[in-house]
Amino acid sequence: MEIRVAQGNIAQFESDCIVVNLFEGVSAPGGATGAVDQALGGAISRLIASGDFTGKAESTALLYSDGKTAAPRVLVVGLGKAEKFDLHAVRRASAVAAKVLAKTGGVKNYATIVHGAGIAGLDVSQSSQALAEGTRMALYQATQYKREQQPVGLDSCTVVEFSQEKLADVTSGVKRGEVIAQAVCTARDLVSEPPNVLFPVELATRARQMAEEVGLKSTVLGEAAMRELGMNILLAVSKGSANEAQFLILEHAPAGHEEEQPLVLAGKGITFDTGGISLKAGAEMWRMKNDMGGAGAVIGAMEAIGRLNLPRRVIGVAACVENMPDGLAFRPADIVTGMTGKTAEIISTDAEGRLVLADALAYVARFKPSAVVDLATLTGAVGVALGKIRGGLFANDENLQAALMAAGERSGDKLWPFPMDEEYVDSIKSDMAEVKNSGGRGGGVSSSAKFLEHFTEGYPWAHLDIAAMVWSDAEKGAENPKGATGYGVRLLVELAGAI
Ligand code: BES
Ligand code: MN
Ligand code: ZN
């Protein structure tokens, strides 16, 4: 489906359906909705008066216009309470409209106003971006492995803006939203892929193809190159796998910014996590195909950052490894020495994410980063604490923490901070080595972050535990169909534009 922008009066716009909106509790609609109501001889006002439609968030009503507007149908979408209205409500309302119309058989082409850009007073460009994001994200389908595909059923959505002055902002906002939503879908596609298809070499290959299309620099290190560099903590995790580990490096360095200190994004890319010798229980093991969700978010974000040509140097890396049990696999009690020379005792081979990230965080120091943000599906416990509502945020730098919190609120990929007290290292002190990879259940989320902190030398750093966020068993708002969410992409693009 294509998203277009046009100048005009939506009441006179020719399409299969026009979309207008209503705040909860409004009885006499104003703005574009008011104009359409007038054209319809008060049909929207009567609909409200009947009590059948209140403007509640995520509700819709479909009216037939009997020739009174150029389009035969009018979809009124509820925006919820005016005082709670924000960009997320725009994203949600656009997603709801797209979903409803995709299921309305006679609608192939529809037109919509920009929710929030008129009477609600949000920034026009940001509202337009949110509209495009919500629309595209809602229509995502993971159908690669179904032979009989159900087509989306929509050909186009035209964003109609009356004001000539606002048109440029609408156009740029829609474009930005499309690029970002497309990148969210890239991350969703990667996370959706089964682990027999998306093993480390395949993940790196797909990232490389994306980099070529977008114009990012890309480098992939194989196991020999990693051994040369001393990345033996990462390589230990890969020992049980027949699939070679890969270390992916993507770089966006726009003209004039080549020498600047980069923002570095680092993703956990475990293409399948069996737990290794500390084998996971069987029933839920299939979920561990999404253990590369951090890498997926980094790859998606780099795609958008490159396409938008953000005026900032950004480097994305991903540690792509499969964690398997085998005769050659690493074991609990093994002691390994990574790139920094620090020794780590393995308590659980299932705490493998922090191991691959340890060498990733050591590796990126060479870029002299202005900041490093890692994203990882690191602990089940973060989901126990926060559910699938916010990702966990751990930082050793207040400014970076504040920038991430703000980017989370604006983008919709929300975060919540966890403590990083020094005492949390006590549980990961090892009798045999300098650190151990598991400190037990109590405070296990913070001690996992403390483990990572051991390997972050010389740069502001934040760790995002996104274990619960990358996959959803049920639809989570119309913009998030069930399955892979693409969480983190919007957050990182927002962050890269802000710091
Ligand atoms: N990939 C898992 C974490 C995870 C669990 C992600 C559930 C998504 C859903 C991670 O590698 C892991 O196994 N973590 C262990 C750590 C423990 C052994 C210290 C965990 O959370 O149980
Ligand atoms: Mn694990
Ligand atoms: Zn894992």
Side-chain angles (χ1 to χ4, degrees):
M1 190 198 67
E2 202 188 334
I3 305 184
R4 306 183 191 127
V5 176
Q7 195 269 326
N9 175 345
I10 190 125
Q12 287 157 16
F13 196 85
E14 279 187 39
S15 70
D16 300 323
C17 184
I18 58 177
V19 180
V20 294
N21 59 44
L22 192 76
F23 280 117
E24 192 168 348
V26 170
S27 50
T33 307
V36 171
D37 185 38
Q38 239 169 31
L40 294 178
I44 298 177
S45 297
R46 286 196 297 281
L47 170 73
I48 301 164
S50 73
D52 293 355
F53 185 76
T54 62
K56 234 174 99 118
E58 294 176 63
S59 66
T60 59
L62 188 62
L63 302 175
Y64 294 85
S65 60
D66 296 326
K68 293 176 193 140
T69 60
R73 303 174 190 80
V74 177
L75 184 77
V76 192
V77 52
L79 298 180
K81 297 210 169 70
E83 51 297 0
K84 283 202 178 155
F85 190 70
D86 58 7
L87 288 173
H88 186 59
V90 177
R91 215 175 275 125
R92 185 63 58 86
S94 317
V96 168
K99 277 213 122 145
V100 168
L101 294 178
K103 285 191 209 123
T104 306
V107 176
K108 293 273 166 263
N109 302 286
Y110 72 98
T112 180
I113 55 171
V114 181
H115 312 296
I119 41 178
L122 295 180
D123 178 83
V124 177
S125 167
Q126 287 183 13
S127 301
S128 306
Q129 176 185 333
L131 183 152
E133 286 174 1
T135 305
R136 277 256 177 269
M137 286 174 69
L139 298 176
Y140 175 80
Q141 296 179 317
T143 50
Q144 296 95 309
Y145 296 97
K146 306 246 191 201
R147 286 184 300 171
E148 274 176 38
Q149 303 225 353
Q150 284 252 317
V152 165
L154 291 171
D155 294 335
S156 75
C157 163
T158 306
V159 183
V160 179
E161 174 55 52
F162 186 70
S163 152
Q164 192 73 54
E165 295 94 80
K166 290 183 183 169
L167 211 59
D169 279 348
V170 173
T171 307
S172 66
V174 164
K175 221 167 157 190
R176 200 166 57 241
E178 284 231 73
V179 168
I180 293 170
Q182 193 59 51
V184 169
C185 294
T186 295
R188 288 177 177 177
D189 281 343
L190 291 173
V191 171
S192 301
E193 284 290 6
N196 60 325
V197 172
L198 198 86
F199 42 90
V201 168
E202 180 65 15
L203 178 55
T205 302
R206 291 199 191 186
R208 255 187 155 149
Q209 281 164 356
M210 177 282 286
E212 199 155 307
E213 270 173 48
V214 173
L216 303 171
K217 236 195 282 171
S218 71
T219 312
V220 178
L221 309 181
E223 290 189 357
M226 285 191 264
R227 200 160 297 119
E228 197 80 358
L229 287 162
M231 299 170 82
N232 294 314
I233 302 185
L234 183 155
L235 289 170
V237 178
S238 186
K239 278 179 67 187
S241 173
N243 291 305
E244 188 184 356
Q246 305 273 282
F247 193 75
L248 169 72
I249 305 148
L250 302 172
E251 176 167 3
H252 168 66
H257 297 265
E258 295 94 339
E259 303 301 321
E260 140 188 309
Q261 284 190 280
L263 166 66
V264 171
L265 312 172
K268 168 178 173 182
I270 300 293
T271 58
F272 195 67
D273 180 13
T274 62
I277 297 298
S278 312
L279 196 63
K280 285 184 181 296
E284 295 279 301
M285 197 192 280
W286 66 272
R287 294 184 181 281
M288 287 302 119
K289 73 168 184 171
N290 68 37
D291 212 18
M292 37 59 67
V298 169
I299 294 165
M302 290 305 294
E303 174 186 319
I305 288 165
R307 288 225 159 97
L308 297 170
N309 198 19
L310 293 189
R312 188 187 203 315
R313 186 166 169 228
V314 186
I315 295 177
V317 303
C320 310
V321 186
E322 187 181 45
N323 187 20
M324 298 290 276
D326 179 79
L328 292 173
F330 77 134
R331 346 159 168 69
D334 280 2
I335 294 179
V336 285
T337 310
M339 209 177 159
T340 65
K342 194 162 265 184
T343 58
E345 183 185 14
I346 310 304
I347 297 301
S348 168
T349 64
D350 198 11
E352 84 298 339
R354 64 198 75 181
L355 296 174
V356 301
L357 282 175
D359 276 332
L361 291 169
Y363 181 88
V364 300
R366 68 182 50 209
F367 299 126
K368 311 249 171 299
S370 62
V372 176
V373 179
D374 78 68
L375 289 90
T377 48
L378 209 65
T379 68
V382 77
V384 177
L386 298 177
K388 291 180 177 293
I389 314 296
R390 289 174 183 265
L393 164 59
F394 306 78
N396 65 6
D397 181 274
E398 272 177 34
N399 292 333
L400 182 57
Q401 170 155 332
L404 276 160
M405 276 303 290
E409 300 301 319
R410 278 197 304 272
S411 67
D413 283 344
K414 294 185 289 184
L415 293 166
W416 199 254
F418 275 81
M420 284 288 276
D421 301 77
E422 215 31 54
E423 290 92 321
Y424 284 109
V425 299
D426 294 347
S427 68
I428 50 168
K429 284 188 175 143
S430 161
D431 293 335
M432 305 306 299
E434 284 156 345
V435 65
K436 60 183 181 183
N437 81 331
S438 171
R441 284 168 65 86
V445 200
S446 285
S447 66
S448 70
K450 281 307 214 188
F451 181 91
L452 296 176
E453 194 181 29
H454 273 286
F455 301 88
T456 62
E457 209 55 59
Y459 48 75
W461 160 77
H463 157 60
L464 312 182
D465 193 337
I466 63 170
M469 301 306 291
V470 299
W471 188 270
S472 181
D473 288 337
E475 178 177 306
K476 240 179 70 196
E479 76 282 15
N480 279 314
K482 74 181 206 181
T485 62
Y487 178 88
V489 172
R490 288 180 293 149
L491 171 78
L492 294 176
V493 177
E494 186 72 35
L495 180 77
I499 66 166

